[in-house]
Amino acid sequence: MQYTYIPKGVCSRQIVIDAADGIINDIRFIGGCSGNTQGIGALVKGMAIDDVIMRLEHIRCGNRPTSCPDQLAQALKLVKQQ
């Protein structure tokens, strides 16, 4: 199933999540630091949603209280609720 999330407080404008049965099939970030967001997507592919949340939640970007990885964790929390 595909989900779309609008991140807050980061450079990325959108996160597109393809997940089923608690496993991430694909992640695409629209905007943001291309190499970093592609790397995140490649690393989490095939991982359990709960594991990704545990690893990425609360990561900060510089002085910002959040980051693209943290925003992905927030998006995945919402995916779990659906």
Side-chain angles (χ1 to χ4, degrees):
M1 186 129 197
Q2 192 169 20
Y3 306 89
T4 301
Y5 178 77
I6 306 300
K8 297 157 192 71
V10 296
C11 299
S12 296
R13 296 182 310 275
Q14 188 176 52
I15 304 172
V16 180
I17 301 164
D18 180 2
D21 301 321
I23 303 295
I24 296 172
N25 297 319
D26 190 43
I27 299 285
R28 284 186 300 118
F29 286 82
I30 310 302
C33 302
S34 181
N36 291 335
T37 56
Q38 286 181 58
I40 294 166
L43 288 170
V44 302
K45 190 173 183 176
M47 287 182 65
I49 287 173
D50 288 333
D51 291 340
V52 174
I53 292 169
M54 183 180 68
R55 290 175 185 227
L56 299 183
E57 189 173 30
H58 304 299
I59 291 176
R60 296 175 53 146
C61 182
N63 293 328
R64 296 177 186 183
T66 189
S67 65
C68 289
D70 178 64
Q71 287 297 294
L72 175 57
Q74 302 312 310
L76 291 172
K77 285 181 172 183
L78 295 175
V79 167
K80 283 183 56 172
Q81 294 175 5
Q82 296 181 12

